[in-house]
Amino acid sequence: MKVLSDIEIAQNKKLIHIKKIAKKLHLKEDDLEMYGKYKAKLPLHLIDDEKIKKNNLILVTAITPTPAGEGKTTVCIGLTEGLNKIGKQATVVLREPSLGPVFGMKGGAAGGGYSQVVPMEDINLHFTGDFNAVEKANNLLAALIDNNLQSDTNNLGLDSRSILWKRVIDMNDRALRNVIIGLGGPSNGVPREGGFNITPASEVMAILCMATDFEDLKNRLGDIFVGYTFDKKPIFARDLKAENAMAILLKEAIKPNLVQTLEENPAIIHGGPFANIAQGTNTILATKMGLTLSNYVVTEAGFGADLGAEKFLNIKCVAAGLHPKAVVLVTTIRALRHHGGARKDEYNFPNLAYVKAGICNLEKHIENIRKFNIEPVVAVNTFTNDTYAEIDFIIEKCAELNVKAVVSEGWAKGGEGTKNLAKAVVEVVESNVSHFKPLYNWNAPVKEKIETIAKEIYGADKVDFDKKAKLNLKRIERLGFNDFAICIAKTQKSFSDNEFLVGRPTGFTVTVREIEIAAGAKFIIPILGQMMRMPGLPAHPASETMSIDKNGVISGLS
């Protein structure tokens, strides 16, 4: 029997009208702003803080992943299907996919197999235009900055050498990392060094995800730090009178998007920052919308728990006053083989010895989740080449740590394959054992907060600050940004800042190369190692395997 691809499964699904999905959330037709038959925007007035307090937030995260990922989004969607199967009213809340990974290496972010959100093609491509709005708002500010540089009548005296703001595009394009702009003579601007980030790395995206209402969004846009004048006065986006125009471009993008799962359950998708170079979670507004409309909300945070989950808990939950009731930690036997020393060509072959050697990575992530006073549940996302011996070892090892490990078969079976996982999660929620507390106080010194994350979450012995990072710390002090949260940019491939240190490295030092400021988002971004905020394409990008026929039917998209 032919095994259908993700896109074939999605294309074979007959979607129901989004109005029927809305009814499951007790919404009226007037509550929806329609984007065709299968997508809708949800107005912000629906959010109800009193209802939010009564409902249950579940975070899905993962162990340190292999390059292909460990199926976190698939488990997230599958768990939502499973919760609904056992009689709980559940909604999945996810990030929007970026076109960079879609056409690059990792693929889209709509789940897989029989645990997908649909319409998959729309979601993975332009969707409702939110990314386009973020890109345009970001680049409007860039245009205003360069326009001010050459203005004779309205010049703020901005020193072009100090400008921190970059343009963005939602594509992996390494050639745009560093560019010279303003060439062609006086009428074409002031020549200077510039560059592009990928759209998910834009501070505008971070702000969209941190905003609590439209006025907050506008104020945060005005707080964006641009650079200095020649006499060292700080310049912000509000000095360029940019915040209102930027907010106008985002007036629809701020509203969360409603779609559906393959099993016709509600899905809210909104915002899309990466977790290695940004905060890696969907918008506060989307999560609050889900918690307003459902008893259970299942959401995710990017890459491993050392990145996405740490930022979700220390940044998003603190800023929004959210209290997760459980954390699902996704593991795969493939990833444990990897952390146990398997070469890439050995990932898909059974090897209990590799799994035993790699279990230390899972153990560290379990320890980390418990540092937030939240009880984890381990989801073993299974593949056809996994053996019972390997699965049983994980379950037994987790039992020794007093953690429930459950096989998740959402990819192959949808909600039917995640009912046991759903029951385990409900058991943790209803036992009331989780009482969330953040790892650090935002008011602590910046250096102390960075060291807390590096030592407690990554397991580092020491943190070194390069000369540039030390100068950046002084700048943060001068600007009065000491009470911001910390959003570390580092490799997703290791607990450390060295991607080759797999498993559970010990005795290592992490090095902070430089520290960026996201004043509108209200966090500091220490950059570890050689992190790039504009990815490149692999030797054989996913785009090479895609096709579209004369009727517009797409294949090869995942």
Side-chain angles (χ1 to χ4, degrees):
M1 185 176 73
K2 180 189 175 186
V3 177
L4 297 178
S5 67
D6 292 346
I7 193 168
E8 288 171 327
I9 292 169
Q11 288 170 339
N12 288 343
K13 166 66 182 172
K14 185 173 175 58
L15 304 186
I16 64 171
H17 202 287
I18 199 66
K19 291 177 183 177
K20 292 183 178 179
I21 299 296
K23 281 185 180 178
K24 293 187 176 187
L25 298 172
H26 309 294
L27 293 173
K28 302 171 186 174
E29 271 188 44
D30 290 347
D31 292 325
L32 301 179
E33 297 179 13
M34 302 297 299
Y35 276 64
K37 294 180 181 179
Y38 310 119
K39 298 170 288 184
K41 285 278 186 183
L42 297 171
L44 302 187
H45 69 76
L46 296 172
I47 294 173
D48 185 327
D49 286 330
E50 290 306 309
K51 289 180 180 177
I52 289 169
K53 293 174 187 175
K54 298 173 185 175
N55 294 323
N56 304 297
L57 178 60
I58 315 299
L59 172 66
V60 177
T61 184
I63 68 168
T64 308
T66 60
E70 307 320 309
K72 189 167 59 267
T73 307
T74 300
V75 171
C76 211
I77 298 164
L79 173 57
T80 304
E81 311 283 42
L83 285 165
N84 281 290
K85 285 269 187 190
I86 65 170
K88 303 295 180 183
Q89 187 208 16
T91 295
V92 66
V93 182
L94 303 169
R95 288 173 293 160
E96 299 177 49
S98 161
L99 292 177
V102 168
F103 292 105
M105 180 169 65
K106 201 163 183 280
Y114 291 92
S115 292
Q116 293 189 55
V117 283
V118 284
M120 183 261 245
E121 294 166 40
D122 288 5
I123 293 166
N124 275 332
L125 297 174
H126 301 292
F127 200 25
T128 56
D130 294 345
F131 268 54
N132 182 63
V134 167
E135 185 178 305
K136 295 299 183 286
N138 183 106
N139 295 344
L140 170 61
L141 178 56
L144 291 171
I145 291 167
D146 283 300
N147 184 60
N148 189 267
L149 285 177
Q150 76 166 50
S151 172
D152 293 327
T153 58
N154 195 32
N155 196 298
L156 293 171
L158 188 59
D159 182 350
S160 63
R161 299 166 300 178
S162 75
I163 294 171
L164 303 172
W165 195 251
K166 291 188 175 183
R167 288 166 168 82
V168 297
I169 184 172
D170 193 32
M171 200 61 62
N172 290 3
D173 192 348
R174 60 172 58 83
L176 294 178
R177 286 174 185 158
N178 299 287
V179 298
I180 302 295
I181 59 175
L183 299 179
S187 63
N188 291 305
V190 176
R192 67 179 183 91
E193 286 187 57
F196 281 75
N197 291 330
I198 192 167
T199 303
S202 168
E203 188 181 346
V204 176
M205 180 67 80
I207 288 170
L208 180 70
C209 290
M210 294 299 292
T212 53
D213 55 38
F214 195 76
E215 195 63 26
D216 184 44
L217 174 81
K218 192 166 70 172
N219 290 335
R220 286 172 177 270
L221 292 170
D223 287 342
I224 291 171
F225 177 53
V226 172
Y228 289 102
T229 63
F230 285 102
D231 56 3
K232 303 303 178 186
K233 175 190 172 187
I235 296 295
F236 298 88
R238 60 177 172 266
D239 296 316
L240 292 154
K241 299 181 176 61
E243 68 270 32
N244 277 288
M246 294 172 74
I248 287 167
L249 287 170
L250 296 167
K251 74 181 185 68
E252 298 302 318
I254 196 173
K255 301 170 188 174
N257 306 291
L258 179 66
V259 289
Q260 62 191 282
T261 67
L262 285 176
E263 295 183 16
E264 300 174 359
N265 289 310
I268 296 172
I269 303 179
H270 198 215
F274 293 160
N276 55 349
I277 54 178
Q279 76 265 47
T281 68
N282 57 67
T283 66
I284 286 173
L285 292 168
T287 302
K288 285 191 166 186
M289 185 70 74
L291 285 167
T292 296
L293 302 174
S294 293
N295 298 136
Y296 280 79
V297 162
V298 182
T299 191
E300 53 79 44
F303 292 118
D306 56 316
L307 286 167
E310 183 273 313
K311 294 168 183 177
F312 180 93
L313 297 167
N314 279 325
I315 301 176
K316 179 174 180 175
C317 288
V318 173
L322 299 172
H323 297 272
K325 302 289 181 63
V327 169
V328 176
L329 192 50
V330 178
T331 188
T332 63
I333 288 168
R334 174 184 64 191
L336 292 179
R337 291 175 192 147
H338 163 70
H339 288 293
R343 300 187 308 271
K344 190 174 180 180
D345 60 1
E346 296 178 305
Y347 287 174
N348 296 322
F349 294 95
N351 191 310
L352 184 56
Y354 282 147
V355 174
K356 287 182 176 180
I359 198 75
C360 58
N361 186 270
L362 174 60
E363 289 173 336
K364 174 61 175 164
H365 283 294
I366 290 171
E367 287 177 23
N368 285 348
I369 296 303
R370 283 177 162 164
K371 288 179 180 181
F372 294 93
N373 212 20
I374 302 175
E375 194 56 27
V377 174
V378 171
V380 185
N381 189 25
T382 55
F383 292 80
T384 54
N385 50 38
D386 298 341
T387 64
Y388 288 117
E390 292 169 309
I391 294 169
D392 289 344
F393 171 76
I394 297 170
I395 293 172
E396 290 165 10
K397 197 68 179 175
C398 288
E400 291 175 14
L401 301 171
N402 203 25
V403 173
K404 189 76 174 284
V406 184
V407 170
S408 176
E409 298 180 288
W411 188 90
K413 300 178 181 179
E416 232 6 86
T418 57
K419 281 162 63 173
N420 288 336
L421 176 61
K423 289 173 184 175
V425 169
V426 170
E427 186 179 329
V428 169
V429 171
E430 293 183 347
S431 67
N432 201 33
V433 293
S434 298
H435 302 282
F436 166 67
K437 62 178 179 61
L439 191 65
Y440 61 81
N441 187 320
W442 282 24
N443 291 317
V446 171
K447 191 175 179 184
E448 179 185 312
K449 289 182 283 193
I450 295 169
E451 288 174 341
T452 297
I453 296 168
K455 292 177 180 180
E456 294 291 332
I457 301 298
Y458 307 158
D461 276 1
K462 184 184 173 189
V463 181
D464 279 344
F465 292 82
D466 281 350
K467 183 179 179 181
K468 188 173 184 180
K470 289 176 181 177
L471 292 172
N472 294 153
L473 284 171
K474 291 179 180 178
R475 180 174 67 187
I476 291 164
E477 178 82 32
R478 287 196 304 271
L479 291 167
F481 296 155
N482 285 316
D483 60 346
F484 285 3
I486 303 298
C487 185
I488 293 178
K490 81 166 186 75
T491 178
Q492 71 274 18
K493 297 177 182 179
S494 172
F495 277 115
S496 74
D497 55 359
N498 178 354
E499 65 179 71
F500 300 107
L501 294 181
V502 297
R504 181 179 183 168
T506 57
F508 63 91
T509 298
V510 297
T511 301
V512 180
R513 177 167 55 88
E514 62 180 304
I515 306 174
E516 296 184 359
I517 298 170
K522 290 184 169 51
F523 52 67
I524 303 295
I525 307 169
I527 299 176
L528 276 54
Q530 299 303 311
M531 286 304 298
M532 299 290 182
R533 291 163 70 82
M534 167 57 87
L537 290 169
H540 293 285
S543 57
E544 292 181 359
T545 63
M546 296 177 187
S547 65
I548 183 168
D549 69 14
K550 63 182 180 181
N551 298 312
V553 177
I554 298 171
S555 61
L557 187 67
S558 64

